[in-house]
Amino acid sequence: MRPAELRDHERELYYFQLRIGFAGAVVLVAFALLFARFFYLQVVQHGRYASKAEDNRISIVPIAPNRGLILDRNGVVLARNYSAYTLEIFPAKVRDLERTIGELGAVVEVQAKDRSRFRKLLAETRSAESLPIRTRLSDEEVARFAANRYRFPGVEIKARLFRQYPLGATASHVLGHIGRISTRDRDRLEELGVEANYRGTDFIGKAGIEASYQHELHGTAGVEQVEIDAAGRGLRTLARTPAQPGNDVKLTLDVRLQQIAEDGFGERRGALVALEPQTGAVLAFVSRPGFDPNLFVDGIDPAHWDALNNSPDRPLNNRAIAGVYPPGSTFKPYMALAALELGKRTPRSTIHDPGYFVFGERRFRDSKPGGHGTVDLYKSIVVSSDTFYYQLANDLGIDAIAGFMQHFGFGARTGIDLEGEASGVLPSPQWKRKRFRLPEQQKWYPGETISIGIGQGYNAYTPAQLALAVATLANQGAMYRPHLVSQVENPRSGTRRSIGPELVKRVPLRAENVEFVLRAMAGVNREGTGARAFAGAQYTSGGKTGTAQVVGMKQNEKYDERRVSERLRDHALFIAFAPLESPRIALAVLVENSGFGARAAAPIARAVLDYYLLGKLPAAPVRPAPLEAAEDAASD
Amino acid sequence: MELARNPLRSLTAYLAEGIDGTLLAIALAIAALGLVTLYSASYDQPGRVASQATNLAVALGAMWLVARVPPQTLMRFALPAYLLGLLLLVAVASFGDVVNGARRWLHIGVTRFQPSEMMKLALPLMLAWYFHRREAGLRPLDFAVGAALLALPVLMIARQPDLGTAVLVAAAGFYVIFFAGVGWKPLAALGVLGLASLVPLWGLLHDYQRRRILMLLDPAQDPLGAGYHIIQSTIAVGSGGLTGKGWLRGTQTHLEFIPERHTDFVLAVFSEEFGLLGNCLLLVLYALLVGRGLMIAANAASFFARLLAGSIALMFFTYVFVNMGMVAGILPVVGVPLPFISYGGTALVTLFLGLGILMSVQRHRKLVQT
């Protein structure tokens, strides 16, 4: 036994060593192959490559394409480009950055904010790139630096294109802004496989249309072959494939209407979204406060950034699609429609409203003490009876409510062509199970259904969702995806691509039920809670006021009591459409912490409808003229 | 007592214990060439050489530690290391950082870690351990299990996507299976199967990976993207000629025509400045390194040690061949560094750990029969 095993062992070892030998032979062959290749490149083809290297005084320089323009529906320019000189430093080629910057300060003006912006960029970007220490140099500064250039190796003057938003903060949450390409952006571009097209480009859309239509606006990079001397300096251009400019993007927005809507808010915070019901085109899109996107174009300086980022008003937050709010009584028309569709109420059935609704031990109070007396379905919308809807919610049950409301897009992203949309919350037992961990929190309590009926409780929707819902209602249940861009145009060839209406779905509804609810909403503006705001209107319209409680809001700014209480005030809401017969516009307005919807939100809707339907400007002073254009621009 | 008599000498003896002088000398010679090349490549980023020297010191420490661990002890780490590696790969796939479009990095406290790197050693360890346990009667089924153990991490790494590391890990595993004695027929069948699977694999590749392969055929197609790397590195190599342009005199290098010149394309810098003679020297050094490794494998005491050492020796070869082939324009551009030369700490530590394992095997080799 033993000798056999030993022999076996030896045989195994023999085979192993055979394989080692085989592997060694493979290694040698592979290395010989590499040697052959090196021999071919370095000896046989040496002459060819040596002259290529000699000619490799040809540097391939990418040419950044011109970014496309953004225009409103009438062709008003909202974003454009201008060219200016910048002074840029290659951090990798400069030994002592601080000293160089200090010495540069003697030649051209370098302010503290320029330094801090430079330091911020330095921390954010890869070292191989050149970074601006000064932007928008004057001709005199260019000349002065050129004369002193020999003193500053690694510092260069470059002509760059800058983005400009001529109307300043107008529609800032639609346009968004551009910013320097960050390491993270680069990673994303590489992931998409388009990084080569971005060589030479410094800026990229960061928010709004600038971000969501980045690939349209960007264009195609060109290539320039430049002859360089032994030190790497450019001598002359040998060949050039020009860059293809990015496409111009035309919005559905009417910038005049937009300005009227924005002015309506004054200093108050809030959002407004106005849609064309038959197409989903966004006519006005407001989120207040806004910001001046021009601050971002050559790298925002830290002081401005902190001010924007830390403001309690959160001006960078796009409330229209990312803010979620309870809809309050603007929920009632849909509840009424649900009651009709599901056969829980008829137009003739009435209830008695004593001013409260008792459920178990709890008493849900109406906003009107003493109640509205005898209330039918029509009156329940016109006077906004809470008791009616407490009862209705209880009769329908949460599953029926949630099932019906999702038809109108509540609790789902609208699919608008902007990034960062929130989905909101359409409450249901199912949602609660998913949302919470603890079993007692996961349970749906019947009492919770009651306040859902008046748009409170867990209800939370974005203003864009509220606008889409009312547009869908006004359009007999046909829902069109909201979109801000109507057309993309190639500025060279003039080829246009229209982005047409996209039907999302047709909610199956009975026409007479929709008619009934729309007529009740017209009653709101004629004789109900919206009547004061719409007094004397020369067109028919429907509306619904809403007041949403700011629940469970905690505030840690204890020192300013006045402000705290202001932040805990109710939100004012209003949804509307006009004209009644064939609605051409539908909108939702939300004004944060402003109390009653009838008082704070409805007048804004009125101003928007007046202008859109009649071309009438509001009586209030028109906003100041737009920022003067390119006073500090184009030195060439 | 000995210690008291000559402290310096016994300290040296203590440090040298278990270290294979030949291996170390070859590796250090290559590393020295690397630092010299890096100095030239990083003319605009001083500090790279010093930081690479620090990496080298850390890596040497790791090697020294592993060299003192006997193979039997290493065997005990095989299964845990493999399982941990798989676990970390799963973790990376679910919540790793995306860098350059690939999900490869895992955050651990303040530092980031690439679990795929660990697999380069964990997989051969695992396979060697598995075959060692079944040494008594290896059957076709065992090889099938081995192939499965190999495929699992390789597919996960390829999906990150990290083609370069996937190739290296797959190769390391394959070598163990090869040395374990899988029959030539299944091997040939595997080869045919592998070639046949290239067709569906092409469909699974990312766009950028496909472009890199197509670029080999026509680099001029995309002068701003991947083609640029190949065009410029070929010019650098070819213009180096027989003796090179001289240290610090490479125009391609210093006019910034060579991309990734510190890392994956460092050979282009070396070739340009030291020419064909330099390349020959490098090839000879690598051949000696691999040869020494294979010798150690041939003399190893146990089945486990033999498989492990053989696989590691050939892994060094794979690194060299894939990287040099890429720079010379005969293999597609995948992210594989040139061993002991490319800038980067993680790869260096892995390589020296591999050396440490070889040294441990050599120290506990079978005593020569008299």
Side-chain angles (χ1 to χ4, degrees), chain B:
Chain B
M1 286 304 103
E2 195 114 14
L3 209 102
R5 227 173 290 150
N6 195 339
L8 190 68
R9 195 172 193 174
S10 49
L11 181 69
T12 323
Y14 172 74
L15 283 178
E17 193 186 340
I19 300 297
D20 184 62
T22 318
L23 264 185
L24 186 64
I26 300 168
L28 286 182
I30 300 173
L33 286 177
L35 288 180
V36 166
T37 311
L38 215 53
Y39 182 86
S40 178
S42 60
Y43 60 93
D44 61 344
Q45 277 153 301
R48 285 250 164 153
V49 175
S51 118
Q52 179 75 343
T54 317
N55 292 337
L56 200 59
V58 173
L60 277 169
M63 177 201 78
W64 184 78
L65 283 176
V66 171
R68 305 172 70 81
V69 179
Q72 290 92 313
T73 315
L74 280 178
M75 220 187 309
R76 274 193 252 137
F77 287 107
L79 188 60
Y82 179 78
L83 291 179
L84 180 70
L86 276 188
L87 199 75
L88 290 175
L89 282 176
V90 172
V92 165
S94 18
F95 37 80
D97 280 6
V98 176
V99 173
N100 293 339
R103 203 179 275 281
R104 299 174 187 170
W105 297 89
L106 202 61
H107 258 281
I108 296 176
V110 286
T111 156
R112 288 191 309 183
F113 172 71
Q114 230 176 322
S116 51
E117 189 70 25
M118 167 179 177
M119 265 297 165
K120 287 179 186 167
L121 292 175
L123 180 66
L125 258 177
M126 173 70 195
L127 287 175
W129 170 77
Y130 177 77
F131 289 129
H132 180 83
R133 278 173 45 125
R134 312 226 139 220
E135 188 191 359
L138 276 172
R139 266 171 288 216
L141 181 68
D142 291 317
F143 291 112
V145 171
L149 289 174
L150 177 148
L152 203 59
V154 168
L155 287 178
M156 286 172 77
I157 295 167
R159 267 189 44 144
Q160 288 182 346
D162 186 349
L163 218 51
T165 310
V167 166
L168 286 176
V169 173
F174 169 77
Y175 297 143
V176 178
I177 297 178
F178 170 70
F179 284 130
V182 67
W184 291 100
K185 265 186 210 159
L187 211 59
L190 202 73
V192 173
L193 205 73
L195 283 178
S197 73
L198 284 181
V199 180
L201 200 68
W202 181 257
L204 290 177
L205 286 183
H206 282 248
D207 265 351
Y208 83 93
Q209 292 169 329
R210 270 186 234 174
R211 257 181 293 138
R212 281 180 179 180
I213 293 171
L214 288 179
M215 222 45 72
L216 267 183
L217 307 175
D218 181 15
Q221 207 184 94
D222 180 17
L224 276 182
Y228 182 82
H229 289 212
I230 298 176
I231 295 173
Q232 295 301 343
S233 80
T234 319
I235 293 176
V237 173
S239 66
L242 192 62
T243 54
K245 296 176 188 168
W247 188 45
L248 304 181
R249 298 241 182 96
T251 55
Q252 288 285 101
T253 305
H254 289 261
L255 292 179
E256 296 184 21
F257 283 113
I258 302 176
E260 310 279 344
R261 59 179 190 275
H262 308 105
T263 50
D264 291 355
F265 279 85
V266 71
L267 179 70
V269 175
F270 181 85
S271 291
E272 183 182 24
E273 299 192 345
F274 300 106
L276 185 63
L277 291 181
N279 283 345
C280 285
L281 174 66
L282 212 52
L283 279 174
V284 167
L285 284 172
Y286 281 127
L288 287 174
L289 187 83
V290 175
R292 178 74 188 161
L294 289 176
M295 259 174 66
I296 290 174
N299 293 323
S302 66
F303 195 52
F304 169 78
R306 248 179 268 156
L307 297 184
L308 188 59
S311 163
I312 288 172
L314 286 190
M315 193 169 73
F316 288 145
F317 155 72
T318 313
Y319 266 103
V320 174
F321 186 69
V322 173
N323 179 279
M324 286 192 163
M326 164 180 98
V327 174
I330 53 173
L331 289 178
V333 177
V334 290
V336 170
L338 187 61
F340 307 109
I341 294 188
S342 284
Y343 178 79
T346 322
L348 212 54
V349 169
T350 309
L351 289 164
F352 273 93
L353 281 176
L355 283 182
I357 293 176
L358 285 181
M359 290 176 184
S360 151
V361 170
Q362 168 69 356
R363 187 182 176 208
H364 298 90
R365 70 186 172 277
K366 190 174 44 174
L367 292 175
V368 183
Q369 284 171 348
T370 44

Side-chain angles (χ1 to χ4, degrees), chain A residues 190-442:
Chain A
E190 275 179 42
E191 209 165 334
L192 295 170
V194 295
E195 75 277 15
N197 195 26
Y198 280 79
R199 287 191 52 191
T201 298
D202 297 312
F203 298 104
I204 193 167
K206 298 277 188 178
I209 293 291
E210 293 275 32
S212 58
Y213 285 83
Q214 168 62 30
H215 62 288
E216 293 285 357
L217 292 163
H218 178 65
T220 309
V223 189
E224 196 174 42
Q225 297 187 353
V226 180
E227 187 180 339
I228 52 175
D229 64 17
R233 259 187 279 262
L235 296 176
R236 65 193 171 106
T237 301
L238 301 174
R240 195 182 153 93
T241 315
Q244 299 294 320
N247 291 332
D248 294 341
V249 163
K250 196 167 199 175
L251 302 184
T252 56
L253 223 58
D254 178 338
V255 81
R256 303 268 307 273
L257 186 72
Q258 174 79 17
Q259 286 177 337
I260 286 164
E262 289 183 5
D263 288 344
F265 282 84
E267 294 298 306
R268 291 169 298 178
R269 301 177 302 281
L272 176 147
V273 176
L275 300 171
E276 193 173 59
Q278 296 80 13
T279 61
V282 181
L283 303 170
F285 183 104
V286 180
S287 172
R288 298 279 280 184
F291 55 90
D292 182 358
N294 289 301
L295 290 174
F296 290 87
V297 296
D298 48 2
I300 190 165
D301 62 275
H304 274 116
W305 171 251
D306 288 343
L308 283 175
N309 210 25
N310 301 333
S311 161
D313 289 343
R314 310 223 283 139
L316 295 178
N317 185 18
N318 191 343
R319 290 170 160 79
I321 55 167
V324 294
Y325 306 87
S329 300
T330 66
F331 207 50
K332 287 173 182 170
Y334 310 99
M335 286 293 293
L337 187 58
L340 290 170
E341 287 286 327
L342 302 173
K344 288 285 179 188
R345 294 286 185 277
T346 70
R348 267 179 297 280
S349 47
T350 60
I351 64 142
H352 176 70
D353 171 9
Y356 56 84
F357 172 71
V358 179
F359 180 80
E361 303 273 287
R362 267 183 79 187
R363 182 178 268 221
F364 290 84
R365 275 185 308 169
D366 199 294
S367 56
K368 183 180 179 187
H372 297 280
T374 305
V375 178
D376 63 6
L377 196 55
Y378 179 85
K379 189 178 170 188
S380 74
I381 293 178
V382 173
V383 302
S384 200
S385 159
D386 288 342
T387 310
F388 188 94
Y389 288 95
Y390 290 142
Q391 231 172 67
L392 176 58
N394 193 36
D395 292 351
L396 281 169
I398 187 61
D399 290 320
I401 296 175
F404 185 81
M405 292 303 167
Q406 74 181 13
H407 289 319
F408 284 89
F410 286 108
R413 293 188 179 88
T414 65
I416 193 172
D417 42 357
L418 288 178
E419 291 170 7
E421 197 182 358
S423 60
V425 173
L426 173 59
S428 68
Q430 215 180 346
W431 164 79
K432 237 188 145 185
R433 268 199 302 279
K434 246 192 243 164
R435 169 70 181 73
F436 295 105
R437 276 275 171 78
L438 298 171
E440 65 266 27
Q441 290 177 320
Q442 285 182 324

